[in-house]
Amino acid sequence: MRSFRFTSLFIALAALLGLAQPAVADPADIAAASRGVVRVVLVRNGWTGVSMLGHGSGFAVAPDMVVTNAHVVEDAHGDGNVLIGVIPSQGRDSYPAHIVAYSAANDLALLQLGNHAALAPLTLFAGVVPDGMQIAAVGYPGNVDAAQGLNSGDLVKPQDTVKTYGQVSSGRSSKQFDTILHTAQLGAGNSGGPLLDTCGRVLGVNSFGTVSSNGTDSSFFFAISMHELEPFLKFAHVVPHLAGLPCTSIADLDRADTQRAADDQVRVAAQSAARSTARDHELDTARRNAELDVLSERDNGLAVAALLLVAAIGAATFGFVQRAKPRFGRLGLGLAAVFVIAALFVWVLRPPLRAIDERAKDHMAEIDASGIPPVESGAKADAATHKLICVLDPRRSRVTVSDITDIPLTWSADGCVNSRAQYGLAGDGWSRVLVPNGEDTISLTHYDPATHTYTLERFLMGINDMTRARSERQKMSIPQCGASEAVARQFGESQGAIKAMLPAEPNERMRYTCQSVK
């Protein structure tokens, strides 16, 4: 079981009968992972010259580290005359390699690459691999090379990988070491290549397949599982990138966001209706209370005016009775006049009926004023530099190659991030495109100051696409922080040339919810 045991008849029949499962994985993710898949070639340097011994597949777990099967490099283990070459799937370079870890017990080997290799490492999936899980196998099956008519010279040049698809059939493992049984078609030369999930993360290392005596049985294949690979890498002091979140497609995230937005609209509408109903009820209550108050004040005014008129009559009577005494007569009549004038004032100063509506409106204005949010939030909060801490929202994220950490963010209303990166302003809001020189990945970041949402999207690109993107980046004039809105908009438009080169969907989307920090 140290090598693939396929007959040419079986492979031909399998191809004719279409035994391989249809492609269900995301082609963009599988293509992105394929950047780190390599062909491993063994050549013997003898007295008769250089001759090729064979080849297999492998994948990068670090820029200069490749995992493959032990049986692929068995002839080079302990034999200095057998040389190992690693040929990536893209570019022009190939790399010499030597074995740094070897385990025949679980058919694993680790190669160290020379010539300053800089491959794109694959991410390993550390979660559960369920029965029926859709998977993809990537590598260099020799029957495809033969069908293409490739010779030995062609095999040491970069070639596109071959991708096949299937599903996991769990529950049956090899007795020799822990394996994953699956149905993604393999051929001699796939040994050491990765078995991937639909996000392009490594589930295992393809190793061997079933043997049919008559060439008519269905094909099944085995990949060495993470239960073997992780301890092997740990023993070799290699720390690969691990991911454990479920694989969610961008389409699923978009559908969930659309549904969430619709639910939010329904909730906002319901809350608005509830507030409107509550306000109407409060207005009715305020009007009834105002009506009771006004009517009470009018009745009280009427009563006071009546009392004053009674007092005026009493004073006038007193003055009439005391008319023989002019002094007391004038006093009584004067008091009567004062009481009459006071009664008229009380009558006139009674609140009018229209005051009912005015008092009800004043009461509602007081309620509205008491519900104003604090100055901390809203537009005024974004008027100056705002310090935030952004936390990943797993429900809205697709994480395939990145570590999950909180992101500190300092945002200014003019589009300056962390006091050093000026964002561009365009139709999709504030954004920044990052095209690094050291890796074949384009990052697109967005920040929405209205919702305090930070979004990071990563596109895992091929070498040719990265070359074009870097060329466009050289044409851009990147402004310093503090640029005017006109300059920010001009920068946003210039980034459009690179955005137009990006695939329709990113390989990774991470959405963060940001909150203020003191």
Side-chain angles (χ1 to χ4, degrees), residues 11-100:
I11 294 173
L13 287 174
L16 291 173
L17 294 175
L19 296 178
Q21 294 289 330
V24 293
D26 188 333
D29 289 322
I30 304 305
S34 298
R35 302 176 310 161
V37 178
V38 299
R39 190 196 297 268
V40 179
V41 175
L42 270 66
V43 296
R44 180 178 294 279
N45 187 14
W47 64 273
T48 57
V50 177
S51 60
M52 181 175 291
L53 297 180
H55 70 91
S57 302
F59 60 92
V61 291
D64 61 346
M65 291 283 186
V66 164
V67 167
T68 188
N69 286 146
H71 75 257
V72 170
V73 294
E74 182 177 6
D75 290 340
H77 188 232
D79 189 341
N81 291 323
V82 177
L83 305 179
I84 303 173
V86 169
I87 298 91
S89 61
Q90 56 182 1
R92 299 179 179 178
D93 297 326
S94 60
Y95 307 101
H98 63 278
I99 300 171
V100 293

Side-chain angles (χ1 to χ4, degrees), residues 124-343:
L124 279 54
F125 178 66
V128 177
V129 180
D131 189 27
M133 182 180 188
Q134 302 295 333
I135 47 86
V138 182
Y140 291 95
N143 57 327
V144 174
D145 296 331
Q148 287 183 282
L150 301 184
N151 57 36
S152 298
D154 295 323
L155 299 185
V156 295
K157 297 177 182 178
Q159 302 281 347
D160 288 336
T161 56
V162 176
K163 309 165 188 70
T164 57
Y165 302 87
Q167 64 184 36
V168 170
S169 179
S170 64
R172 300 287 295 274
S173 176
S174 167
K175 286 186 175 181
Q176 296 170 300
F177 41 80
D178 193 70
T179 56
I180 300 171
L181 180 64
H182 65 87
T183 60
Q185 187 73 46
L186 304 178
N190 275 110
S191 296
L195 184 70
L196 306 174
D197 69 1
T198 54
C199 279
R201 302 174 298 189
V202 177
L203 303 175
V205 185
N206 288 314
S207 180
F208 60 92
T210 56
V211 176
S212 171
S213 60
N214 55 19
T216 60
D217 292 339
S218 297
S219 52
F220 294 92
F221 308 90
F222 293 84
I224 304 164
S225 76
M226 284 299 148
H227 296 298
E228 304 287 347
L229 181 58
E230 281 194 73
F232 173 76
L233 293 175
K234 183 177 180 180
F235 183 78
H237 306 292
V238 174
V239 181
H241 185 266
L242 299 174
L245 291 180
C247 181
T248 304
S249 70
I250 294 295
D252 288 340
L253 287 182
D254 289 341
R255 282 191 291 269
D257 277 345
T258 300
Q259 183 61 49
R260 190 177 295 109
D263 293 343
D264 288 343
Q265 289 181 348
V266 172
R267 183 174 61 255
V268 169
Q271 291 174 347
S272 178
R275 285 194 298 269
S276 179
T277 301
R279 182 180 176 82
D280 290 342
H281 176 72
E282 185 69 27
L283 182 59
D284 288 341
T285 301
R287 198 178 189 287
R288 285 196 300 270
N289 292 337
E291 183 178 4
L292 292 174
D293 290 342
V294 169
L295 293 177
S296 177
E297 292 176 15
R298 286 176 62 85
D299 290 342
N300 290 338
L302 180 61
V304 171
L307 290 174
L308 289 172
L309 287 176
V310 171
I313 293 172
T317 302
F318 173 78
F320 179 76
V321 171
Q322 297 294 329
R323 63 182 179 277
K325 299 177 181 180
R327 180 180 177 185
F328 289 103
R330 289 193 298 271
L331 177 60
L333 293 175
L335 288 175
V338 170
F339 287 146
V340 169
I341 293 172

